[in-house]
Structures are given as C-alpha cells and as structure tokens.
Amino acid sequence: MTHTSHSGEQQGGGTGRAVGAGAGAGAAPGAEPARAPAQDAAPTGGPPGSRWRAVGPGIVVAATGVGAGDLVATLIAGSKFGYTLLWAAVIGCLVKISLAEAVGRWHLATGQTLFHGWRTLGPWTSWYFIGYVVIWGFVYGATAMSSSALPLVALFPDFIGLKTWGVITGLVGLAFVWWGRYAVFEKAMTVLVGVMFVVVVYVAVRVGPDAGDSFAGLAPTLPDGSLLYTLGLIGGVGGTITMAAYGYWVNAKGWTDARWMRTMRLDNRVAYLTTGIFVVAMLIVGAELLHSADIALTKGDKGLLDLGDVLEDRYGTATAKLFLVGFFATSFSSLIGVWHGVSVMVADFVANHRDAGTVRAAGGRPAGDAPAAPAPAVVTGSAPDAAPATPTDERTIGRHERSLPFRLYLLWLTFPPISLLFLDQPFGLVIVYGVLGAFFMPFLALTLLWLLNTSRTPQQWRNGPLSNGMLAVSGLLFLVLCVQQVRELPW
C-alpha cells in the first residue's frame, strides 16, 4: 500500500491509500504520472452528506466499555464522596476520547488495522495479545453472563435461577453475533444504549440533583481516602480491550481512509459525551440517594440489586423495575459488544499471521524492507515477517465475521466460561476480570504512542503535543491502576 506526497493531498490530510501503478517505480521514463482516482484525493470537505447520520461505531464502543461494574464503581464513589469527584468523571471521558480517536486515526490514516501496526513493533505484541485474549476471554465470558443474568433474576424472581439465566444470555449473544452482521449489530447496540441512557438519566432526575453541589464538584479536589476512587473514575469507566476494537467497527461502517477523519472524530465525541452524561447521572444517584442516607452497596454487580431495592422503597416498584431493565441493557450490550469486537480482532490476528506465512513461503520481502522507491510504503516497521497490508474496509470485516477464527473465539467466549458459572462464588470472577482488564489498557495507550509518532503513520496524521500528552497520561494512569489491582488481590 502506497501514498503520494503531492501538495494537494497533503493539505487537509492525505488518505495514505494507493494511487495507481503509474506513480510507482514501474512508470516509463518521461511518462506522465498516473492520476489518483478522484475518490482517493482526500477532499478537505470530507464525505458528502450529514456526518451526524453516520454516527454509530462510537456508540458501540462506548456501550461495550460501560458495564455493570462501572456503574457500581461510580455509584460507590458518589455514595462515599457525594459530588466531589465529578471532575474526575469528566476527565475520564476526555481520556477515552483521546484513546478512541488515536485508534480510529491509525485505521483511517494508514488503511491498516491496529493489529498490523502492533506487529510492526515486534513479535512480542503478538504473544501479548493472543495470551491476553485467551485468558481474559475465558474469565470475561463468565463475568458477562452472570452480570446479564442478575437483573433478569430480579425481574423474574420465581422463574429460573441465576446460572440458567446466565447460560441463556450467553447463548443468545452467541447466536446474535454468529448469524448477524455489523449493520444489525450496530442497530441493536444503539437501542440498548438508548434504553440504558434514558433509564439512568430518568433515575438521576427523579432523585433530584443539587445544581450548586454539582457545579462545585467540577473543581478538582481530593478528599481523604479518595485517590483510588478518583483513579478508577478517570481510567475505569468505558475503558476495556474493546477500545482497540473501535478501529475495526469504523472500518465495518465503511469508513476506510482519511476522508472520514472528521466523521470519525464527531462519532467519537458524541459517543463519549453520551458516556459522560451517563456517568454523571450515576454519580448523582450515588450522591443524592446513597450518600445522604449513608447507604452502602455490596461490591460487584450485586450492588446494583441493592440500588434497585433502595429505589423500590423510595419511589415504588415501577421505578425499580425500570432501573433493572436499564441494568440489563448495560450488561447485555457489553456482552454482545465483546462477543463481536474481540472476535473480529482475533480473526484479524489469524489473518495477519496467515498472510505473513504466505509471504515467507513465496520468498517475498517482508513489509518495511523494500528498497527505496518514489512511492514508499506507509508502514515501515521492522517486524521480520510482517505481510504487506491491504486497505481494510467493510468487506474485510465481513469476511472476518464469517471466518473460522471468529467463530471459534465466539465459542471460546461462550462454552468454557459456562463452567465457571457453577462455582460456589461466581461474583469473585469480577476481581479476576478487573485485574486482567487492567493489563490491556497500558499496552494500548503506550503502543499507540509508538505507532503514531513514527513513519508508520503518514506525517500529517501523526500525534501533536495534545495527543501525545493525553496518551502518555493515559498510559501512566492505567499502569498505576494495573499495579493497584494486583496489590488488592487476596494473596
């Protein structure tokens, strides 16, 4: 894959895509260079039509990243410190915007997937990724199923038990992602986001927020004993491995090059603005409903059931039931988001290794080792077996969705974890899941810093000072959270 350096394409952002055979080393001497197709000219105005109607992948990644555990963490922060940590929730949204924007920018600026970029950093990234998703997926599958089952048990107490509901939610998620495609998946996620958003905002309005205290909470302060809760609010809400899947969902939407950069950025900001409102609403509920009454929640997802009981006592059965519906929408959207997004990443992992093996078997030259030419490759990494990349688009993601690795990982997320549901204390899985989740975010932030500051990324789309600062802060923050999660394990 190549890109030109004509000034007309540098202004407003180039696409980094191929421009035709005549522009390369094989053009005849004295011949006029072949013109790039009009669709590759990266017009500064971006794609035609309203970008607002294109919003979607950001909603998917935000909904997937916000799970029941995040709601509990936010509620507990509000119940302990009132509105004091509201500023941390706002900063947390800015951190997630910067991370997701960096992922999307890599995909659009280079035309390559994030995993291909990782492989140019060396084989250690492949070992890290595959080891992580195998272990994490096994634990997450059980956590997601039990979390989705909890509100269903509360909604239908005399029907079936927690374990049976957990198995049912896992199988429904498996069937939906197995036979569905991205377009249907995005619509379902949008509906679930709408439900959770409306329910949580309704509950926040119902408990009656204090406007003066809310605005006062935007001033950064750290009450005694609040440091870990502050770090958790900044780094925990909406931050999982699925942030790395954002670029794949961007490609599945049909956004394939830098012409879509402004659309992607709008999509990302809308999504995390929604998440910010969602988190602030939960903090309000914790501050008004729990902090004032000195009510403590159970740790883990069960804490949301405690909140449901409080809502029923205070506002009646209808409000409590509505909250449980929102609880289910939050948990199930995370389940199917991981089932789809991480499975696509695994399929891309396998495809990259298969393509690299084909290159080696054919005696081809690995990417990054090609001799100098008038139109150099965008990615010039040093991976010894990196295969030349082809632009990723919705058809590529569609092939991933039908591939054997995609479906095998779906099965891995569903059936082996079912055995964990039958442990005596399945909620202890939340602790293990939290620790494993903390190991991925520093990897994502720091590798993005590496990729987006080198020749692997076209010059006009590399990081500026603000992006570098946000990614560096994110990497350090997630590293601190990771160490803290390990320290809190019951050794």
Side-chain angles (χ1 to χ4, degrees):
M1 184 176 58
T2 59
H3 69 94
T4 65
S5 57
H6 299 310
S7 60
E9 294 185 41
Q10 293 292 335
Q11 297 173 0
T15 66
R17 300 183 67 188
V19 297
E32 181 181 354
R35 293 183 179 272
Q39 65 268 27
D40 287 340
T44 57
S50 171
R51 288 190 296 274
W52 287 97
R53 290 198 299 269
V55 168
I59 295 294
V60 172
V61 73
T64 304
V66 178
D70 298 309
L71 301 192
V72 174
T74 308
L75 280 170
I76 292 177
S79 68
K80 286 183 175 291
F81 304 104
Y83 292 97
T84 310
L85 299 182
L86 184 60
W87 64 272
V90 174
I91 290 179
C93 290
L94 296 177
V95 167
K96 304 310 181 310
I97 287 173
S98 66
L99 276 168
E101 190 275 341
V103 172
R105 177 154 44 95
W106 166 266
H107 275 248
L108 296 181
T110 67
Q112 300 168 356
T113 66
L114 186 56
F115 186 75
H116 191 279
W118 284 337
R119 293 196 64 226
T120 68
L121 302 181
W124 67 273
T125 58
S126 297
W127 288 107
Y128 190 98
F129 174 79
I130 199 62
Y132 179 86
V133 295
V134 168
I135 299 171
W136 176 87
F138 178 61
V139 177
Y140 178 80
T143 305
M145 286 185 272
S146 63
S147 179
S148 298
L150 275 172
L152 294 175
V153 172
L155 283 167
F156 308 103
D158 300 320
F159 188 41
I160 56 180
L162 175 71
K163 296 170 186 176
T164 306
W165 271 124
V167 173
I168 290 173
T169 58
L171 294 177
V172 170
L174 170 68
F176 177 78
V177 176
W178 186 290
W179 281 291
R181 292 295 175 264
Y182 175 78
V184 177
F185 165 72
E186 183 188 288
K187 288 181 174 63
M189 291 290 278
T190 303
V191 170
L192 291 171
V193 168
V195 171
M196 57 193 271
F197 182 84
V198 169
V199 167
V200 170
V201 171
Y202 166 77
V203 172
V205 172
R206 188 74 189 270
V207 302
D210 186 308
D213 288 346
S214 299
F215 284 109
L218 294 175
T221 56
L222 278 176
D224 291 341
S226 67
L227 178 59
L228 294 180
Y229 291 98
T230 303
L231 293 176
L233 276 177
I234 295 174
V237 179
T240 70
I241 187 175
T242 50
M243 292 200 73
Y246 179 54
Y248 294 86
W249 287 327
V250 161
N251 293 149
K253 186 74 171 177
W255 306 348
T256 56
D257 55 44
R259 291 176 302 163
W260 294 94
M261 199 71 74
R262 291 175 63 192
T263 304
M264 179 274 294
R265 286 169 169 164
L266 174 65
D267 171 74
N268 178 36
R269 290 163 187 167
V270 168
Y272 279 100
L273 175 63
T274 304
T275 302
I277 296 172
F278 187 75
V279 172
V280 168
M282 290 303 292
L283 199 70
I284 289 171
V285 173
E288 294 292 342
L289 198 61
L290 305 177
H291 180 65
S292 58
D294 196 24
I295 298 173
L297 296 180
T298 305
K299 288 186 177 181
D301 299 350
K302 277 188 172 180
L304 293 182
L305 297 184
D306 294 343
L307 178 61
D309 293 338
V310 174
L311 288 171
E312 185 169 6
D313 292 339
R314 188 76 61 90
Y315 301 107
T317 303
T319 298
K321 296 291 186 185
L322 184 63
F323 175 75
L324 291 172
V325 171
F327 178 3
F328 172 75
T330 302
S331 298
F332 192 67
S333 64
S334 294
L335 186 151
I336 61 174
V338 167
W339 261 233
H340 185 276
V342 183
S343 297
V344 167
M345 292 178 68
V346 170
D348 186 53
F349 169 87
V350 174
N352 268 274
H353 276 273
R354 184 173 56 241
D355 292 345
T358 301
V359 169
R360 290 196 302 271
R365 186 186 299 272
D369 292 340
V378 170
V379 173
T380 58
S382 57
D385 57 354
T390 54
T392 304
D393 56 18
E394 64 270 32
R395 290 169 296 182
T396 306
I397 304 301
R399 287 193 295 271
H400 285 335
E401 289 174 324
R402 295 185 295 273
S403 68
L404 180 62
F406 178 90
R407 291 181 169 174
L408 286 177
Y409 192 71
L410 270 179
L411 297 175
W412 174 253
L413 283 169
T414 307
F415 289 104
I418 285 176
S419 63
L420 297 181
L421 293 176
F422 293 88
L423 295 176
D424 292 336
Q425 293 181 334
F427 303 107
L429 294 172
V430 176
I431 298 175
V432 181
Y433 162 65
V435 173
L436 288 172
F439 272 94
F440 188 81
M441 295 304 287
F443 170 78
L444 176 62
L446 297 176
T447 54
L448 283 170
L449 266 175
W450 194 344
L451 290 171
L452 293 170
N453 282 288
T454 63
S455 59
R456 295 170 176 84
T457 304
Q459 178 68 44
Q460 66 270 33
W461 297 117
R462 292 179 196 168
N463 276 359
L466 179 61
S467 295
N468 279 329
M470 292 296 289
L471 288 178
V473 168
S474 300
L476 291 174
L477 169 67
F478 291 126
L479 194 58
V480 171
L481 288 172
C482 180
V483 171
Q484 182 60 33
Q485 288 273 16
V486 173
R487 288 180 58 190
E488 290 181 351
L489 283 177
W491 296 104

